[in-house]
Amino acid sequence: MLESVLERERDQLPLWVPVALGCGIAVWFALANPAWWLAFLSLCGAICLLAVGKGRHLRAGQALFWLALLAAAGCALVWYRSSSVAAPVLERPLVTIFNAEIERTEPVLARDMVRLTLRTGDHPELPPRVRVNVPLENAGPALQQGALIQLRARLMPPAMPALPGAYDFSERAWFEGLGATGQALGPVTILRPADPRFAITRYRQRLSSHVQSQMAGAAGAIGATLATGDRGAIAEADAEAMRRSGLAHLLSISGLHVTAVVGAVYLLVLRLLALSQTLALRFRLPVVAAACAALAAVGYTLLTGAEVPTIRACVAALLVLVALIMGRSAITLRMVAAGALFVLVFWPEALVGPSFQLSFAAVTAIIALHDHPRIKALFRLREEHPLQRAGRFVLSLFLTGLVVEIALMPIALYHFHKAGLYGALANIIAIPLTTFVIMPLEAVALLLDSIGLGAPAWWLCERALAGLIGLAHFVASRPGAVTMLPTMPVPAFGLLLLGGLWLCLWRERWRYWGLAPALAGGLMIATTRAPDIYVTGDGRHVGIRSERGELAMLRTRSGDFIRAMILENAGVASDAQPLEDWPNADCNPDSCLVRLRQGAREWRILATRSRHHIPVLALSAACRRADIVVSERWLPSACQPRWLTIDRNLLSQVGGITIDLENRHIETARGWTGDHQWTRYRAGDDRGY
């Protein structure tokens, strides 16, 4: 039976090539130990030998052989990539004066700063590549790619995840070759101006500034994003509204934007050239138009920063253009698989990032939906009344948006702990508005600016962008617009992805077997209890969840970033309360003692919150009365609580901690990340956590 099914699905088997490669990459990230990587490669080799020996004449045996071989190749590929990008990392915070060459300039106007990626050369105290934020008042127009500068800065090692499942910047920094990040202190001195030949970054900045000068406020910021990929000027309130309304994909230059550019250039060139009878008769105009569209796709990708989603979309667009030239079907899952394979071969680390997952999940879901025979029959072109045609178009947009929301929801919940619920409805308006109104108007305005007549087009574009932003805020403010979820278990996320891929990549009825792992993953999420206590890796910030699901913070002056991060990981939509305002908390300037009831037991949690000296006798007495003690200090051995001591000694070994009191289950940041090259935990044994 399996042989007959695989025979009927033989055209779908190549779609699993990037999936198999991605499985090997995911295993490398999950195992986080060279011994385990070698064991995995050995296991894959054994499976290959078994498949060759027992099933080389069977399609199932051949599929198993290639699955194991590609998984091993993925593991080896990301292992090699991780070693090849290895660079020194700063060991401890440092304030120093140094010279550096600017490699990249990224304005972040919403935070009043410019972000510089610098090459420090042979500086003995610094890594060869660092990233520094320069306040806007100290950032002049001469801070361009290629300029040599001198500055004083406070540098720190790349931040590791503050909590289990939180964002791990140290991983991203490792693959980008960043050995430190920091803040510039004082003015920046230009030692050598930038070479004007390296103009693409400067032109990108000038274009972004020009767009923002033509349209005020949020409209200018989002208009600059669509033109150059520069999201630095978007206010956090607008960015949050776009995320909550399911429209955040419009701010990431990817398939929608590249498709609009390629389609517009292709049709424009084709129609203009077809006006000439001589050209139409002597040349294959679709080939010429496709070549111009390909150049436009590459140029737009470079102009917008060449991020992974844009590269993926550019590769996909080029494949579509090649298919059009060859007379083949262009929009297929094979095109998506080829794009995914291209990205994974050159940037295997992209697999674990939300950008790659969201981008490919959306495109795969869209194509799988419209490739279904019933959907094809429903939306195929036919002679009918214009109102009926418009109704089918709206229905197509709604179904597409709904399927995309379902496909993206587990990924958004896993990475960001939140997902919009009304995105399908919002996108019915937002996608046509962006594709057919905003982007064409912006392109026309830029062209008309060359002769000084762009003002009317800019005014119309600003009104359209204002409508898009208003839509985002309206949808985001509706009751129930966003669902929040605490940190999702990795096995549950894996089951959801497996189920989704199984549903999308097969055509026979056995595709519905994918519902089983998807439902199992959903059940695992529904039955996973949220932690009661959250302790960041530095021990300074503690969040405690009440019986009603509310969260209270130990330090009332926690920064917005820390507070938002803990709330997101806890899956709490409301703001955190000060711990001293809780009825079951007894706080003084040095510590808080919290009584928290879970089930039949009352837990007593003691948390310190000052650097003042506490007498050992008083501290040891307080520890004995508590079940859990949390402190950013090194606690003396005399501090012996009834269950657990969380101090600087333990946190330096395992990172941030979450605790489920009902099940007495402890998660650590180290348990999530493992001991990869970019982690910097102190040697110690965290077994049992």
Side-chain angles (χ1 to χ4, degrees):
M1 178 180 176
L2 179 60
E3 281 297 304
S4 62
V5 173
L6 289 177
E7 180 62 29
R8 293 195 299 272
E9 294 275 21
R10 62 184 181 274
D11 290 339
Q12 303 300 103
L13 290 175
L15 303 179
W16 291 90
V17 169
V19 177
L21 195 72
C23 286
I25 296 171
V27 166
W28 184 88
F29 277 98
L31 296 181
N33 187 296
W36 284 108
W37 299 335
L38 291 173
F40 177 75
L41 293 176
S42 301
L43 175 63
C44 291
I47 293 174
C48 288
L49 292 176
L50 179 65
V52 169
K54 299 292 185 180
R56 62 179 177 272
H57 301 301
L58 302 175
R59 192 172 291 279
Q62 296 172 11
L64 183 62
F65 170 82
W66 285 108
L67 176 67
L69 183 63
L70 287 166
C75 182
L77 183 65
V78 69
W79 192 354
Y80 169 77
R81 168 75 172 164
S82 175
S83 300
S84 65
V85 300
V89 176
L90 194 67
E91 294 183 0
R92 60 184 61 86
L94 175 70
V95 176
T96 184
I97 298 175
F98 62 99
N99 299 343
E101 181 179 340
I102 299 178
E103 183 180 281
R104 183 179 179 183
T105 302
E106 182 183 357
V108 189
L109 302 182
R111 296 171 57 186
D112 294 325
M113 69 179 188
V114 173
R115 183 170 291 153
L116 302 179
T117 302
L118 306 173
R119 290 199 174 274
T120 61
D122 298 326
H123 196 289
E125 294 182 311
L126 299 180
R129 197 162 182 251
V130 301
R131 198 179 75 180
V132 175
N133 296 330
V134 180
L136 207 56
E137 61 268 19
N138 295 329
L143 294 182
Q144 299 292 336
Q145 179 184 359
L148 184 66
I149 63 174
Q150 183 180 80
L151 72 162
R152 182 172 180 265
R154 184 178 188 271
L155 300 175
M156 301 181 67
M160 292 192 296
L163 289 171
Y167 176 61
D168 186 0
F169 177 72
S170 62
E171 176 191 305
R172 175 185 168 187
W174 178 266
F175 285 101
E176 291 184 359
L178 294 174
T181 62
Q183 180 80 15
L185 306 174
V188 178
T189 304
I190 305 295
L191 302 180
R192 185 195 67 208
D195 189 333
R197 290 177 296 178
F198 298 100
I200 188 165
T201 302
R202 181 177 299 179
Y203 178 73
R204 182 187 182 199
Q205 293 176 8
R206 288 176 59 189
L207 180 59
S208 177
S209 300
H210 176 71
V211 172
Q212 292 177 60
S213 69
Q214 298 299 315
M215 297 185 293
I222 294 180
T225 300
L226 297 177
T228 67
D230 176 15
R231 287 177 282 182
I234 299 176
E236 181 57 32
D238 295 324
E240 180 65 15
M242 296 292 281
R243 287 191 291 266
R244 292 172 64 91
S245 61
L247 303 180
H249 64 96
L250 299 177
L251 304 181
S252 176
I253 305 300
S254 55
L256 174 68
H257 311 79
V258 175
T259 300
V261 171
V262 168
V265 172
Y266 181 86
L267 291 175
L268 184 63
V269 172
L270 188 64
R271 294 296 176 88
L272 288 176
L273 295 180
L275 295 176
S276 170
Q277 184 177 5
T278 302
L279 294 176
L281 294 175
R282 294 189 177 184
F283 298 96
R284 291 185 59 192
L285 297 188
V287 175
V288 178
C292 294
L295 291 175
V298 173
Y300 187 56
T301 300
L302 294 175
L303 180 63
T304 54
E307 301 290 342
V308 169
T310 321
I311 294 173
R312 190 275 311 162
C314 181
V315 171
L318 295 179
L319 291 174
V320 168
L321 292 172
V322 170
L324 287 174
I325 292 172
M326 297 173 62
R328 303 288 296 274
S329 178
I331 310 299
T332 65
L333 285 175
R334 288 200 176 195
M335 175 267 293
V336 179
L341 189 63
F342 176 85
V343 173
L344 291 179
V345 167
F346 289 97
W347 302 279
E349 70 277 7
L351 176 80
V352 297
S355 178
F356 177 92
Q357 295 172 12
L358 291 168
S359 179
F360 279 98
V363 177
T364 301
I366 291 170
I367 296 178
L369 170 70
H370 289 275
D371 200 37
H372 194 281
R374 292 184 180 178
I375 300 298
K376 277 185 175 180
L378 179 62
F379 297 123
R380 71 173 182 267
L381 295 177
R382 65 194 74 184
E383 292 292 333
E384 58 184 351
H385 193 275
L387 288 178
Q388 290 179 302
R389 188 177 299 115
R392 289 182 188 276
F393 177 73
V394 172
L395 179 60
S396 174
L397 280 178
F398 175 75
L399 285 180
T400 300
L402 182 62
V403 168
V404 168
E405 285 295 317
I406 294 172
L408 299 188
M409 184 171 290
I411 301 174
L413 290 174
Y414 178 78
H415 289 283
F416 310 118
H417 313 289
K418 66 175 70 173
L421 297 180
Y422 302 148
L425 295 172
N427 278 290
I428 291 178
I429 301 173
I431 290 178
L433 180 64
T434 303
T435 307
F436 302 117
V437 179
I438 294 173
M439 293 187 69
L441 278 174
E442 193 164 350
V444 169
L446 289 171
L447 287 173
L448 291 177
D449 274 350
S450 60
I451 55 175
L453 298 177
W458 283 121
W459 184 86
L460 291 173
C461 187
E462 185 175 359
R463 300 281 77 75
L465 282 166
L468 177 66
I469 297 164
L471 173 67
H473 281 277
F474 174 78
V475 173
S477 63
R478 296 306 91 194
V482 175
T483 181
M484 301 284 294
L485 189 74
T487 301
M488 184 187 299
V490 175
F493 183 56
L495 287 171
L496 289 171
L497 291 184
L498 174 61
L501 288 169
W502 196 272
L503 281 167
C504 290
L505 300 189
W506 296 123
R507 287 187 173 178
E508 296 293 319
R509 293 182 63 86
W510 76 329
R511 71 192 301 177
Y512 298 108
W513 291 7
L515 293 174
L519 291 174
L523 182 63
M524 188 180 297
I525 293 170
T527 56
T528 299
R529 190 174 181 278
D532 300 292
I533 302 175
Y534 298 80
V535 183
T536 58
D538 58 5
R540 288 182 50 80
H541 305 285
V542 180
I544 300 179
R545 184 192 296 269
S546 71
E547 296 177 1
R548 298 192 301 271
E550 299 170 342
L551 203 71
M553 298 286 293
L554 174 66
R555 281 180 164 83
T556 56
R557 294 184 180 179
S558 301
D560 292 339
F561 173 78
I562 290 292
R563 186 167 57 251
M565 183 269 298
I566 296 178
L567 287 169
E568 285 182 3
N569 277 262
V572 176
S574 59
D575 200 4
Q577 307 175 32
L579 193 56
E580 55 262 31
D581 292 345
W582 269 25
N584 294 332
D586 183 12
C587 295
N588 58 49
D590 294 321
S591 65
C592 280
L593 179 64
V594 182
R595 295 182 300 278
L596 189 63
R597 179 167 293 279
Q598 289 297 340
R601 175 170 179 179
E602 183 179 81
W603 294 82
R604 297 170 68 89
I605 301 107
L606 175 66
T608 67
R609 59 176 185 174
S610 79
R611 296 181 178 272
H612 299 157
H613 172 70
I614 302 177
V616 174
L617 289 178
L619 180 60
S620 61
C623 289
R624 285 194 300 270
R625 293 192 296 268
D627 298 291
I628 302 171
V629 176
V630 181
S631 178
E632 62 179 310
R633 312 177 182 204
W634 295 80
L635 293 177
S637 58
C639 179
Q640 294 291 333
R642 288 191 284 264
W643 185 43
L644 181 64
T645 301
I646 303 174
D647 65 347
R648 185 177 297 184
N649 177 47
L650 178 63
L651 293 172
S652 66
Q653 298 177 33
V654 302
I657 290 176
T658 59
I659 305 173
D660 175 3
L661 293 176
E662 184 174 306
N663 300 310
R664 295 199 179 192
H665 179 68
I666 300 175
E667 292 273 5
T668 68
R670 186 177 187 175
W672 273 72
T673 63
D675 293 322
H676 279 290
Q677 293 167 285
W678 52 84
T679 57
R680 301 182 307 279
Y681 297 111
R682 190 170 62 84
D685 187 2
D686 65 334
R687 288 175 295 182
Y689 295 103

